[in-house]
Amino acid sequence: MMGLIKGMGVTLKTMTKKKVTHKYPDEPIPMPDRFRGIQHLDPDQCIVCNQCARVCPTDCISLTGHKHPEKRGKVLDTFDINFEICILCDLCTEVCPTEAIVMTHQFELASYSRDDLYKNLEWLHQNNSGIRSENNVNARGVKKK
Ligand code: SF4
Ligand code: SF4
């Protein structure tokens, strides 16, 4: 009997406390600003220096570019990340000299096909929600969308 009363006491106390559960996936979970989620790429800021691909510990970045026809520097043609093996370690964004690649709050990559885990330049460019506030400006200091 005492056990039942004790148990009911715990239940009643817990019922009045603030809920710690989330209605995920119906309601998105707010992530902390420095959360390391799937990358956003701004191709206009990329100088095709290849540093992100060279530092990547799992070798999952591949990119190509060509010489700019009119001025110094290169133009990015393709940029792919294989999320089968990306460990979201943040090294590629740390070395990027122009902040062309940054981490976001996006973490949902579940898929029925492994082929869907190869993300290209267009996909990475559109993946632009939840960029860390410190990275959410372009080279001209203008806020990204
Ligand atoms: S987060 Fe890490 S593993 Fe993923 S692409 Fe960047 S460097 Fe490679
Ligand atoms: S490190 Fe940055 S600028 Fe260099 S190739 Fe990678 S994304 Fe582009």
Side-chain angles (χ1 to χ4, degrees):
M1 189 64 184
M2 274 309 287
L4 181 69
I5 293 167
K6 266 190 196 168
M8 285 306 287
V10 172
T11 305
L12 289 170
K13 214 160 85 182
T14 310
M15 275 171 74
T16 56
K17 280 189 183 161
K18 193 170 172 260
K19 287 194 180 80
V20 292
T21 50
H22 292 271
K23 284 187 183 168
Y24 180 82
D26 297 329
E27 287 173 21
I29 300 174
M31 306 309 284
D33 195 39
R34 296 194 64 77
F35 177 78
R36 301 197 309 253
I38 303 155
Q39 298 88 326
H40 160 71
L41 175 78
D42 185 344
D44 294 338
Q45 278 185 247
C46 178
I47 55 172
V48 198
C49 65
N50 224 28
Q51 288 196 61
C52 52
R54 269 188 298 194
V55 79
C56 178
T58 62
D59 220 4
C60 63
I61 298 180
S62 52
L63 62 109
T64 59
H66 66 270
K67 199 173 169 311
H68 197 289
E70 285 147 27
K71 47 185 185 182
R72 280 180 64 197
K74 287 182 171 179
V75 181
L76 185 65
D77 290 327
T78 65
F79 194 106
D80 301 288
I81 300 182
N82 175 5
F83 283 101
E84 271 191 281
I85 52 175
C86 171
I87 54 172
L88 296 172
C89 65
D90 201 16
L91 286 175
C92 53
T93 70
E94 286 292 323
V95 295
C96 180
T98 62
E99 305 232 328
I101 186 164
V102 292
M103 307 304 274
T104 72
H105 290 175
Q106 157 74 310
F107 59 88
E108 292 169 330
L109 273 174
S111 166
Y112 287 108
S113 166
R114 297 175 90 173
D115 293 343
D116 291 343
L117 297 174
Y118 283 81
K119 301 299 184 191
N120 63 12
L121 188 153
E122 288 75 26
W123 191 96
L124 292 163
H125 188 210
Q126 280 164 20
N127 183 44
N128 60 0
S129 62
I131 299 171
R132 284 179 194 166
S133 50
E134 69 192 72
N135 301 121
N136 202 11
V137 287
N138 64 21
R140 293 173 294 284
V142 179
K143 199 170 186 298
K144 291 177 186 171
K145 282 177 205 142

